[in-house]
Amino acid sequence: MIRAPKDGAYSGAAMMRRKLVAGNWKMHGSRTANEPLIDAILASPYLDQVTCVVCPPFVYLAEVARLLRDSAVRLGAQDVCAEGHGAYTGEVAAAMLHDVGCRYVIVGHSERRNIYGEDDVLVARKFAAALAHQLTPILCLGELLAEREAGQCQEVIGRQLDAVVSLTGIGAFAGAVVAYEPVWAIGTGRTASPEQAQEVHQFIRERLARQDAKIADALPILYGGSVKTGNARELFAQRDVDGGLIGGASLKAEEFLSIVAAARG
Ligand code: PEP
């Protein structure tokens, strides 16, 4: 368990957190399409102000690492195995991701939870595996539409979050990123309002602050779910929204660049 000094109660005083925009390419991309997309991202004038991460499919990681060269754009993977190494056909270990140049990895994306049945405990183990190999986990949390409509949003987010804290300890969140991604907003064109996003982001920060206010205050909490040029600025202007995890719009260079520009404020 990683420990950090306790720092009293959460003051709610927002510190300056650097904005982060991560592109989740999902199962998209090709050797032909990746190069112009990366070239366009590398031309963004805001890479010194906004942390920018691209998460291509596993098979393209090494090639994208080469395209990124020693730029400020960071490489991330979309998933990781909870085990260290061994007879796990089809899986990819955290050490391998680090070896090919990844510095971030998405864990607990709703498509992994809902299509592939990953539960809170497995997600927590993946989060721990990432940290053990110098990868920053981007921990996705989010409620289904039915859960929101039943008034269970906080209960679901709290349960998903607590599963990780109880496995790793609050100290682990000093090296992590959280992404709030309401499932009903992912790939649907339907976005949470800035107020809805802020409400959940504040809930996440305050829940962690009960255990360590300093770590909670410094934690980047991204919003994900149909972020695009037209809504990014308003979402990112919310006090507890520290950037975005971008799906569909991360595949279109112009759109992704304008989201990065919006993150700069
Ligand atoms: C995602 O997959 O993490 C996501 C937020 O997708 P989209 O932006 O397409 O809704």
Side-chain angles (χ1 to χ4, degrees), residues 24 26 109 181 185-187 224-227 245-248:
N24 173 13
K26 310 196 187 192
H109 189 280
E181 298 208 304
I186 296 180
S226 299
V227 177
L245 180 54
I246 318 298

Side-chain angles (χ1 to χ4, degrees), residues 17 20 141 176-180 197 200-206 208 216 218-223 240-244:
R17 290 178 293 268
L20 191 159
L141 311 172
V177 172
V178 167
Y180 168 55
V200 180
H201 283 228
Q202 185 175 339
F203 168 77
I204 293 167
R205 202 177 303 286
E206 288 181 353
L208 294 174
L219 177 73
I221 307 179
L222 313 182
Y223 170 79
D240 289 295
V241 178
D242 303 313

Side-chain angles (χ1 to χ4, degrees), residues 26 68 75 77 88 90 94 96 134 194 245 247 256:
K26 310 196 187 192
L68 293 176
L75 185 64
Y88 300 100
M96 296 172 185
Q134 294 78 50
L245 180 54
F256 189 64

Side-chain angles (χ1 to χ4, degrees), residues 17-70:
R17 290 178 293 268
R18 184 180 161 100
K19 291 276 196 285
L20 191 159
V21 174
N24 173 13
W25 294 8
K26 310 196 187 192
M27 200 167 70
H28 296 288
S30 67
R31 292 175 75 190
T32 317
N34 299 346
E35 187 158 358
L37 180 54
I38 293 297
D39 283 348
I41 294 169
L42 291 178
S44 167
Y46 306 121
L47 299 178
D48 57 338
Q49 295 164 60
V50 176
T51 302
C52 187
V53 182
V54 291
C55 304
F58 287 135
V59 289
Y60 297 127
L61 286 171
E63 179 209 8
V64 172
R66 182 182 59 77
L67 296 172
L68 293 176
R69 298 177 294 273
D70 48 5

